[in-house]
Structures are given as structure tokens and as C-alpha cells.
Amino acid sequence: MSAATAADREVNTMYRRWVFPSGGEAQDVIRRRVLFPRELERYAAAAGFEVVEMVGESGGTGLTGATAYTVARYTR
């Protein structure tokens, strides 16, 4: 796997199309980097947080699917 391919898998791209009541339209693109769980824990710890729990979109501890939630406690 090339470095570019690995980096592409860490970026989430969302395309949105807006239609306003006035009839006007707009489009935008949001690109955001996806953090791996251990990476998020390191950033949180460096900022003074302790990760309490990470859950996937099914509500379980397995981080699968498109959505995950992190609960953290400020410790400083």
C-alpha cells in the first residue's frame, strides 16, 4: 500500500447540496481527517482528558460503521 493510499483512507469527504426556500441552491464539500482510536486517545491525553468510553454507531464497544462517539473527562 502506498502512503497516498493510506492517507486517503483517513480522509472523510462529504458532498452536500442545499436547496433554499427562495429557490436558490448551493453546494459544498467537507473534507476531514478521521482519527484512529489510539490517536484520539493520545490527543485527548495531551490536552488533559481521559477517554472514558468509545462506542460505535450500534452502541457497542466495537468501533465499526461510519459513526463513533467518544466520552472523555477533563482531568486537569
Side-chain angles (χ1 to χ4, degrees):
M1 178 183 309
S2 71
T5 303
D8 288 342
R9 292 193 318 168
E10 295 177 20
V11 175
N12 174 277
T13 304
M14 180 178 12
Y15 301 90
R16 300 187 301 180
R17 181 173 168 258
W18 303 88
V19 179
F20 300 103
S22 65
E25 295 184 17
Q27 296 179 7
D28 65 358
V29 177
I30 299 172
R31 293 185 52 137
R32 55 187 168 209
R33 188 160 115 30
V34 177
L35 300 175
F36 291 103
R38 298 295 169 241
E39 186 180 13
L40 179 58
E41 287 176 342
R42 281 189 182 143
Y43 283 130
F49 288 87
E50 170 193 4
V51 173
V52 176
E53 186 174 16
M54 289 186 180
V55 295
E57 61 188 353
S58 66
T61 55
L63 298 177
T64 60
T67 305
Y69 301 93
T70 302
V71 178
R73 175 182 311 126
Y74 190 63
T75 59
R76 291 186 188 163

